Amino acid sequence: MTARACGVTLRILRWTWKNGHLCRPFIVPAKESDTAALVGFCRALCSTPLPPQVIKHPGKELTMRSLAEMGFSETQAEMVYDGAKKNRCKHDAPILVGLFALGLNPTSVVKILEKCPELYAVKGSQLQQRITNLRKLGLLEGSLQRVISHYPQILTLPVKRVSGVSRLLKEKCQFTTQQMTDILRDSPHIVQEEHARLEYMFQYAYFRMGCRQAEMVKAKLFRLSMEELQCRHGFLERRGLYQTPDKKGQTLILNPRLKDFLLISEETYLSKIAMATQEEFDVFRKLMAREQEEERQQEHDDDDDDVDGEEEEEEEEWNKGQNTGYNKRRKQRRES
């Protein structure tokens, strides 16, 4: 029977149920809910089972029995029960119902709660709002489940926080909506990064390395830390294997593609791209760490020397986009 026919049958059955005094084609179960009876009868008529209904709530109190009814094995139920108890969750945990509603199985749910036990304390209304917001940002079925499984902490963050990062990527970094979605899918941890740090990383790749947005997305740029990006790029540059493009986007050498030296292991990077030893790279890493520490100290000293009235000038430059992230540090180095 087709889905359309099932729908028609379901409507007929609903009418019959409400008007039982006129027509009673079958015996009504005494303690079964209307929906459960209709679904059971309809499934008997359909060759293809209907999609599962909303997951049953385990009841007012979270017990081993209620967890077993949700599909957890005895071992899994013990883990979930102990986790809920440690997080002072004596009653229903909305996260269980929410994760099951996303189509995740008990094993996946247990792994998610092990990664992020803070989810036990998330309220049902908050959980629904956050999942809805992720869908609005383009994380649809499949991608949504992968993101939550890989980085469940995203469900503990307010909607405003996650939306703020998406706006930064689109407005300040000029990523398209689809590119923004791809970044959130591949690097969901960035929702907890400071906005200034994300913007600086983008500007470093854009101005210093000459990369464009599409290339950054393909290379999964934001999976790396800022320090690792600078190390890999700087090491190639000092060995004469990478050059910053000019205003026309041209270089005197052929630069390796961003994804070719970011999406690989350090061992492969050294042997195939940098053509160097591990010892040489370790020495360079220490030197760069020292340089970065000196830069941070210099910035701190400059902030201490700020005079009155400078804040207004800095605010104006900020609005013009000339005093943020990489641009600000580049300007300070030129002046020094």
Side-chain angles (χ1 to χ4, degrees):
M1 186 178 291
T2 65
R4 183 176 180 181
C6 286
V8 173
T9 303
L10 191 58
R11 286 195 294 272
I12 294 174
L13 291 174
R14 284 174 178 164
W15 181 91
T16 304
W17 192 273
K18 293 178 180 179
N19 299 275
H21 62 287
L22 299 176
C23 178
R24 297 184 179 273
F26 54 88
I27 298 176
V28 180
K31 297 183 179 180
E32 295 264 346
S33 66
D34 297 357
T35 303
L38 292 176
V39 169
F41 188 78
C42 191
R43 282 181 178 173
L45 297 176
C46 298
S47 57
T48 304
L50 291 176
Q53 301 300 305
V54 177
I55 300 297
K56 290 183 179 181
H57 212 274
K60 292 184 178 181
E61 186 176 355
L62 200 62
T63 63
M64 292 290 293
R65 180 178 179 181
S66 64
L67 292 171
E69 290 176 351
M70 297 182 75
F72 292 105
S73 66
E74 183 176 352
T75 302
Q76 292 172 337
E78 288 179 358
M79 294 174 66
V80 174
Y81 183 79
D82 290 342
K85 189 175 180 181
K86 289 178 181 178
N87 288 273
R88 299 180 180 180
C89 181
K90 298 180 180 180
H91 300 287
D92 296 341
I95 187 63
L96 297 178
V97 180
L99 293 177
F100 276 121
L102 290 174
L104 296 169
N105 58 46
T107 301
S108 297
V109 171
V110 171
K111 290 180 179 178
I112 288 172
L113 293 174
E114 284 182 328
K115 284 184 179 180
C116 185
E118 294 83 1
L119 287 173
Y120 284 108
V122 177
K123 298 179 180 179
S125 58
Q126 294 175 329
L127 182 65
Q128 185 59 45
Q129 290 172 359
R130 293 165 187 176
I131 291 176
T132 300
N133 184 57
L134 292 176
R135 286 195 170 105
K136 289 180 179 178
L137 295 177
L139 295 174
L140 305 180
E141 303 311 311
S143 295
L144 178 61
Q145 284 80 357
R146 284 194 297 271
V147 167
I148 293 175
S149 297
H150 175 68
Y151 194 74
Q153 291 85 349
I154 198 169
L155 292 180
T156 66
L157 300 176
V159 170
K160 186 177 181 180
R161 173 80 181 185
V162 178
S163 297
V165 172
S166 69
R167 285 195 300 272
L168 172 72
L169 294 174
K170 290 195 295 183
E171 297 173 7
K172 291 289 186 70
C173 304
Q174 296 296 300
F175 286 105
T176 66
T177 299
Q178 183 58 52
Q179 289 172 340
M180 176 273 297
T181 300
D182 292 341
I183 292 171
L184 289 179
R185 183 193 64 220
D186 297 330
S187 311
H189 66 276
I190 67 170
V191 295
Q192 288 193 320
E193 290 281 357
E194 294 181 3
H195 288 196
R197 187 174 178 82
L198 289 175
E199 187 177 0
Y200 176 77
M201 190 171 189
F202 163 76
Q203 291 182 351
Y204 181 90
Y206 190 89
F207 294 108
R208 185 73 174 78
M209 301 176 67
C211 300
R212 294 298 178 260
Q213 285 86 342
E215 190 177 359
M216 296 180 202
V217 175
K218 289 181 180 179
K220 297 177 173 54
L221 174 71
F222 294 100
R223 279 190 178 181
L224 273 72
S225 66
M226 186 67 223
E227 293 73 20
E228 184 64 21
L229 174 64
Q230 288 178 316
C231 274
R232 292 202 177 191
H233 165 249
F235 192 56
L236 292 178
E237 189 175 52
R238 295 193 187 185
R239 293 181 65 81
L241 299 174
Y242 199 101
Q243 188 177 66
T244 301
D246 58 22
K247 294 182 179 180
K248 296 182 180 180
Q250 299 176 344
T251 58
L252 298 178
I253 62 174
L254 182 62
N255 287 336
R257 292 180 300 181
L258 191 62
K259 68 176 184 178
D260 290 341
F261 67 90
L262 293 189
L263 290 178
I264 56 177
S265 65
E266 187 172 293
E267 181 181 358
T268 303
Y269 164 77
L270 292 173
S271 61
K272 301 293 185 181
I273 306 298
M275 308 294 182
T277 65
Q278 184 68 55
E279 183 180 1
E280 290 174 320
F281 189 56
D282 289 340
V283 171
F284 175 79
R285 194 193 297 274
K286 292 178 182 179
L287 290 174
M288 176 156 282
R290 185 183 304 170
E291 290 177 3
Q292 292 172 348
E293 180 61 31
E294 291 175 354
E295 283 185 10
R296 284 192 288 267
Q297 185 61 42
Q298 181 64 37
E299 290 177 5
H300 179 72
D301 294 341
D302 291 342
D303 290 340
D304 291 341
D305 295 335
D306 285 345
V307 296
D308 294 338
E310 187 179 0
E311 292 184 359
E312 295 182 2
E313 182 181 349
E314 288 182 350
E315 180 68 21
E316 182 179 353
E317 289 182 352
W318 177 282
N319 293 333
K320 293 179 180 178
Q322 300 300 317
N323 197 37
T324 60
Y326 174 73
N327 284 335
K328 179 180 179 180
R329 297 187 184 182
R330 183 173 59 176
K331 178 181 178 182
Q332 290 174 342
R333 284 195 291 270
R334 284 203 307 268
E335 293 175 347
S336 61

